[in-house]
Amino acid sequence: MTYQPPTRLHAAILDWAGTVVDFGSFAPTRIFVEAFASFDLPLSLEEARGPMGLGKWAHIRALCDQPAVAERFQRRFGRLPTDADVTALYKRFMPLQIEKVGEHSAMIPGALEAIASLQERGLKIGSCSGYPRAVMTKVEALASEAGYRPDHVVASDEVPRGRPSPAQALANVIALEIEDVAACVKVDDTAPGMLEGRRAGMWTVALRFSGNCLGLSWEDYQALSHEQRAAARQRIDAELGPCRPHYLIDTIAELPAIVDAINARLARGELPNAH
């Protein structure tokens, strides 16, 4: 048998918060702040955003490993945070997240139109998230009411390891019956999501403005001047550059043009791991 590389994309694997819903990725970050506050541990929104893209238990572990947060924990409890403490915070976080995720579930402007355009091009739509299944069930239901119904969804606790492991992306490949990972594009607003796609052997597209990197609401983003957006692009591109995304775009609304560009590259025989 001879290897025949794909000549076009067959699937897009999309993140959720900050990519297709919840402009600014506020649902998870604000709940982290609230969960830590319930243990009398101050946490800023900026600190909460730091490990975004990881599974939520791993996110809390990463927060507790930050020197400033660990110092606050030691002052409050007289010891450094253990895995048992992380689990206690996670158990406080989860019901809050399930209860309040609907407050930040609106579709990102242009997302439905972009996804419909990908489907018109023959792409299947997979998806994955740092949310566990208990949260994803609610997020999926709200998105379905808004008109977004991906072909497959993989939650963070449905694979052995979450992002930046490639497991969730590859679980989509299996479920969608995609024959070659090079025929997939992974779209995400976080560094772990980019690494997930890279490690899965896919094309990768990073989103600058709709998610965690900018961390603004749609209204505040719209109010930015041309100069402010240019400065933010420069900062975010430098931040995500080490993850080696194939493309960086402002929001998912620009994705159909990128899919056309990737299809042209595939038709020329180019593959994602070569770049």
Side-chain angles (χ1 to χ4, degrees):
M1 299 179 70
T2 303
Y3 174 62
Q4 297 293 330
T7 57
R8 67 173 183 85
L9 289 171
H10 292 164
I13 314 300
L14 309 179
D15 176 48
W16 281 82
T19 297
V20 295
V21 300
D22 185 11
F23 196 102
S25 197
F26 285 101
T29 50
R30 287 180 173 169
I31 303 305
F32 283 125
V33 172
E34 189 169 340
F36 273 70
S38 71
F39 283 78
D40 195 24
L41 291 168
L43 185 74
S44 71
L45 197 61
E46 183 179 0
E47 287 173 326
R49 288 190 180 280
M52 190 60 67
L54 300 177
K56 301 314 175 193
W57 190 97
H59 190 129
I60 294 170
R61 178 71 269 179
L63 288 173
C64 288
D65 288 340
Q66 293 181 8
V69 177
E71 182 182 355
R72 285 173 221 150
F73 192 99
Q74 187 161 35
R75 285 202 307 267
R76 174 68 178 83
F77 296 104
R79 67 180 189 279
L80 292 174
T82 65
D83 281 357
D85 296 317
V86 172
T87 298
L89 282 160
Y90 179 78
K91 288 180 177 178
R92 188 69 57 87
F93 168 85
M94 278 296 295
L96 289 170
Q97 184 73 95
I98 295 170
E99 175 189 351
K100 298 190 175 185
V101 70
E103 296 175 9
H104 302 281
S105 63
M107 296 296 298
I108 285 173
L112 287 176
E113 295 82 356
I115 292 165
S117 183
L118 301 192
Q119 291 170 322
E120 290 169 3
R121 288 162 168 79
L123 274 69
K124 296 178 180 179
I125 306 299
S127 67
C128 51
S129 172
Y131 286 137
R133 171 45 58 188
V135 178
M136 274 312 312
T137 297
K138 186 169 184 179
V139 174
E140 282 184 73
L142 293 168
S144 179
E145 292 175 7
Y148 176 48
R149 303 174 186 88
D151 297 303
H152 192 62
V153 180
V154 181
S156 62
D157 57 352
E158 293 176 329
V159 293
R161 294 183 63 188
R163 299 178 298 204
S165 157
Q168 285 179 272
L170 295 176
N172 275 280
V173 170
I174 294 168
L176 297 174
E177 300 183 352
I178 304 300
E179 295 184 352
D180 195 322
V181 293
C184 299
V185 57
K186 176 65 177 39
V187 185
D188 205 292
D189 65 297
T190 67
M194 287 296 94
L195 292 176
E196 172 196 20
R198 270 293 191 176
R199 291 173 178 178
M202 299 177 176
W203 299 92
T204 54
V205 179
L207 303 178
R208 299 183 181 101
F209 290 161
S210 60
N212 193 60
C213 290
L214 187 63
L216 296 180
S217 68
W218 170 254
E219 292 75 18
D220 288 341
Y221 163 63
Q222 290 295 100
L224 293 179
S225 67
H226 176 78
E227 292 74 19
Q228 288 172 319
R229 293 191 190 193
R233 283 191 189 96
Q234 186 174 15
R235 173 183 64 81
I236 293 167
D237 287 4
E239 181 180 327
L240 293 175
C243 302
R244 295 179 58 205
H246 293 90
Y247 296 91
L248 293 105
I249 59 177
D250 290 352
T251 76
I252 196 173
E254 299 173 37
L255 186 58
I258 299 301
V259 166
D260 289 342
I262 294 173
N263 280 340
R265 294 175 70 173
L266 285 168
R268 294 194 297 267
E270 297 185 41
L271 294 173
N273 278 346
H275 299 277

